[in-house]
Amino acid sequence: MSTAAAEEKFELITRRLQEVLGGDAIKAILAEGRSPKCYWGTAPTGRPHIGYFVPLTKIADFLRADVEVKVLLAGKPIRYDVQYRILNILWKDVHAFLDNLKAPLELVGHRTKYYQYLLLAVFKSLGIPTSKLHFVEGSSYQLTKEYNLDNYRLCATVTEHDAKKAGAEVVKQVESPLLSGLLYPGLQALDEQYLDVDFQFGGVDQRKIFTFAELYLPRLGYRKRAHLMNAMVPGLAGGKMSSSDPNSKIDFLDAPEVVRKKIKLAFCEEGNTEENGVLSFIEAVLIPISELRIARVQGDKILEQGTGDQKPFIADGAPDGTVFSIERDEKFGGSMHYKSFAELKADFASKALHPKDLKTSVAAAINNLLEPIRTAFQANEEWQKIEKLAYPDPNAKPEKKKKKEKVYHPPPPGKGKNAQTPTVEAVRDSIVTASVPEPVLTEAAKQEPAS
C-alpha cells in the first residue's frame, strides 16, 4: 500500500475521535498493507438511546477503511480465504451481569436479543452492510477453561487499587462494592486477546479500562493494543446522556411527538455552546450521517442504500459543500446553510442562529433517523415480545389472582343462621322420645285386632 493510501485510511479510521492511544501501531499495520482488526463492545443493560448513533456511525468509517475483524461463533474461530470487512461486535453479557448486578442473567439474555434487533435495524437504516457485521456473545468464550485461567492469572497480578480505579467511570460505584465490579476491567482487557484484535473502540469514558489493558496484558505475555475513543454526547439537560436518566436521552423507539417535546425542553441557552446536547448531537451524529448520505450519492461502494428517507440534512437549493441546513421560513430570513460544524457553532455563539430554529431542525432530523427503526419494530412481533421481556413496565400493576368460586353447602338440620333455638319442652320431648324405645310387636300381635 502506498504511503498516501495508508495515511488516507488512518485519517478515515481516526477522524472525529476525541483520543487515540497507540496510533503508531495502526499506522504500521496499514503501511504493511494489512487490514487492522478491531472490536466495539457494549453491555446490554439499560435501554439504548440515540447516543449510540455516535459509535455506530463511526463504524461506517472503519468499514470504508477496510478494517477487518475475526468472526467468532460459539467460541470457535472461523477463518475465511477471502478477507471480509467484518466488524466484530461483542455482547458483554457476562460483563453486564458482573457490573454490580445491574440485571440478572435471565434479563440480560432478553436484553442481548433486544440490542441485536435494534442495532441491526440501525445499521440497515444507515446503509451499513450488515453482511459485514457479526454479533458475538461474550459468554461464548468467556466461560472457557483458557479464558478463566488467564482471568486467575490476572487476578494474581492486579492490585485492588488498580482494578477499582480502572472501572471508576463505567462500573457503578457504591459504598460497599461487590467483587464482581473489580473483575470487570480485567475481563474487558482479556477480550482484546481472545478476539485477536489490533485495537478496541469505545467511548472516552472507557479510557481508564483501556490504559489498564495496556499495562496488564503485556504482564501476561500478550501484546499491547491500540485504543480509539469517541467523545461522549452530553445529555439533553447537560451532563452525560445516560440510559438510567429518561430526561437526559431520547430512546430509539420514542414517538415523533415525544422527540419534539424532549428537544423543546432540552438545555440550549442562546449563545451558550458549553454542555449543549443539541449542538453536540449535530456535531457527533447529524453532520457525520449527512456526510455518509452525500458520499453514497457520490458513488461510495461500501455503503448500501439504507432504509427510510436517505436525503442528507440539507435544504433544497443549498450551495455545494453544505453538510447541514437550518430550514426557516423566508419571513424569518430563510434557510441557513453550513459547510462545517465550526461555522454553525460560530453562528450560534454570536446569536445569529436562534435556539428555536436550531431545535426545530434537530428534532426533524432525529425523527428522520428514527422513522425506519420504529417501522422495523412495528413490523417485527418477535422484537416486540422481546422488548416487553427485556424492559418490563415498572409501573405495570401485577395481575390480580382470580378468586376461587364459592360453592354453597347447606347447613345440617337445626344449624345455620336461620335455625331456631329449641324450647326447653322441645328438648325434653326429644330426649324422652330418643330414650324410650319403640315396642317390638310379634307377628301374632300385629295380626290381633285392636280393642
Side-chain angles (χ1 to χ4, degrees):
M1 183 183 296
S2 67
T3 302
E7 290 178 353
E8 183 179 346
K9 285 189 175 183
F10 183 76
E11 167 61 24
L12 194 55
I13 290 171
T14 58
R15 69 175 180 172
R16 299 197 190 95
L17 294 176
Q18 180 163 327
E19 189 173 4
V20 175
L21 299 177
D24 288 342
I26 298 175
K27 287 181 179 179
I29 293 170
L30 292 171
E32 294 172 5
R34 294 190 290 117
S35 295
K37 297 177 288 185
C38 77
Y39 94 86
W40 169 72
T42 183
T45 50
R47 289 184 75 105
H49 50 72
I50 60 172
Y52 274 71
F53 271 122
V54 178
L56 301 186
T57 303
K58 186 59 196 173
I59 284 169
D61 283 343
F62 294 157
L63 295 178
R64 295 170 71 195
D66 294 321
V67 171
E68 177 197 349
V69 177
K70 183 184 293 184
V71 179
L72 278 152
L73 285 174
K76 297 179 180 179
I78 301 175
R79 293 182 180 274
Y80 294 92
D81 294 332
V82 181
Q83 287 192 349
Y84 290 93
R85 287 178 295 273
I86 303 178
L87 184 76
N88 186 29
I89 298 180
L90 170 66
W91 292 120
K92 300 179 181 178
D93 47 351
V94 172
H95 296 224
F97 176 68
L98 290 178
D99 188 359
N100 204 48
L101 291 179
K102 281 186 177 178
L105 278 176
E106 183 180 4
L107 191 60
V108 169
H110 295 316
R111 291 181 176 180
T112 297
K113 292 179 182 178
Y114 177 83
Y115 269 58
Q116 186 165 355
Y117 276 122
L118 176 67
L119 295 188
L120 280 172
V122 174
F123 282 130
K124 288 179 180 178
S125 73
L126 294 175
I128 296 174
T130 55
S131 60
K132 296 173 181 178
L133 303 171
H134 196 81
F135 298 87
V136 179
E137 290 188 16
S139 55
S140 65
Y141 64 88
Q142 288 171 343
L143 303 179
T144 63
K145 173 184 175 181
E146 294 76 15
Y147 187 94
N148 277 279
L149 285 175
D150 271 343
N151 189 26
Y152 291 141
R153 292 172 60 205
L154 201 58
C155 289
T157 307
V158 177
T159 65
E160 182 268 346
H161 173 270
D162 284 359
K164 190 172 182 179
K165 178 183 177 182
E169 297 295 326
V170 294
V171 177
K172 188 175 182 181
Q173 301 299 299
V174 293
E175 185 176 344
S176 182
L178 298 175
L179 180 60
S180 58
L182 299 178
L183 296 178
Y184 192 104
L187 294 180
Q188 190 163 333
L190 289 176
D191 289 338
E192 297 179 354
Q193 174 63 26
Y194 280 80
L195 289 171
D196 188 23
V197 298
D198 298 307
F199 69 88
Q200 184 180 171
F201 169 55
V204 73
D205 60 339
Q206 304 275 323
R207 192 183 193 283
K208 291 180 180 179
I209 289 183
F210 290 166
T211 55
F212 173 94
E214 292 184 4
L215 174 64
Y216 280 101
L217 278 187
R219 295 186 183 184
L220 296 183
Y222 300 137
R223 64 188 174 91
K224 183 170 70 172
R225 270 71 175 186
H227 296 95
L228 278 58
M229 288 160 273
N230 61 258
M232 305 303 292
V233 179
L236 299 179
K240 179 181 175 182
M241 187 175 287
S242 171
S243 295
S244 60
D245 182 2
N247 295 320
S248 77
K249 52 113 180 180
I250 292 174
D251 190 279
F252 277 103
L253 300 179
D254 276 347
E257 60 274 14
V258 174
V259 172
R260 287 189 286 268
K261 181 178 179 180
K262 287 185 176 181
I263 292 297
K264 183 179 180 180
L265 297 175
F267 173 77
C268 189
E269 184 182 27
E270 187 176 16
N272 187 349
T273 60
E274 301 300 320
E275 290 294 312
N276 188 324
V278 180
L279 269 181
S280 296
F281 196 77
I282 294 175
E283 179 184 23
V285 176
L286 297 183
I287 287 180
I289 290 178
S290 191
E291 289 178 340
L292 283 179
R293 293 177 174 183
I294 293 170
R296 186 187 297 114
V297 172
Q298 294 174 346
D300 189 291
K301 295 181 179 179
I302 296 297
L303 299 174
E304 296 176 349
Q305 175 54 36
T307 56
D309 181 8
Q310 293 296 309
K311 183 179 180 294
F313 301 124
I314 56 178
D316 295 334
D320 291 341
T322 300
V323 294
F324 195 81
S325 295
I326 301 293
E327 298 192 51
R328 301 186 304 184
D329 194 285
E330 289 297 331
K331 64 182 180 181
F332 297 119
S335 297
M336 305 173 74
H337 310 290
Y338 299 98
K339 295 183 178 181
S340 68
F341 175 73
E343 291 181 3
L344 188 150
K345 184 178 180 180
D347 266 6
F348 188 81
S350 66
K351 300 184 181 182
L353 174 57
H354 193 273
K356 183 178 180 181
D357 295 327
L358 182 73
K359 288 183 174 185
T360 300
S361 293
V362 169
I366 291 175
N367 275 324
N368 171 279
L369 290 177
L370 299 185
E371 185 276 330
I373 300 167
R374 297 188 200 107
T375 301
F377 176 75
Q378 293 299 328
N380 191 326
E381 291 185 5
E382 184 60 29
W383 185 4
Q384 294 172 39
K385 291 177 183 177
I386 289 296
E387 189 262 348
K388 288 183 174 63
L389 293 172
Y391 301 100
D393 184 358
N395 299 318
K397 295 181 179 179
E399 293 184 6
K400 293 182 178 180
K401 294 183 179 180
K402 292 184 178 179
K403 294 182 178 180
K404 292 183 179 180
E405 293 184 6
K406 292 184 178 181
V407 179
Y408 176 72
H409 296 284
K415 302 291 185 180
K417 62 180 181 179
N418 294 323
Q420 296 181 351
T421 304
T423 62
V424 175
E425 291 78 4
V427 173
R428 184 182 59 200
D429 291 346
S430 65
I431 295 174
V432 171
T433 302
S435 60
V436 178
E438 185 179 347
V440 180
L441 300 178
T442 63
E443 288 297 322
K446 289 179 181 180
Q447 296 175 4
E448 185 178 328
S451 59

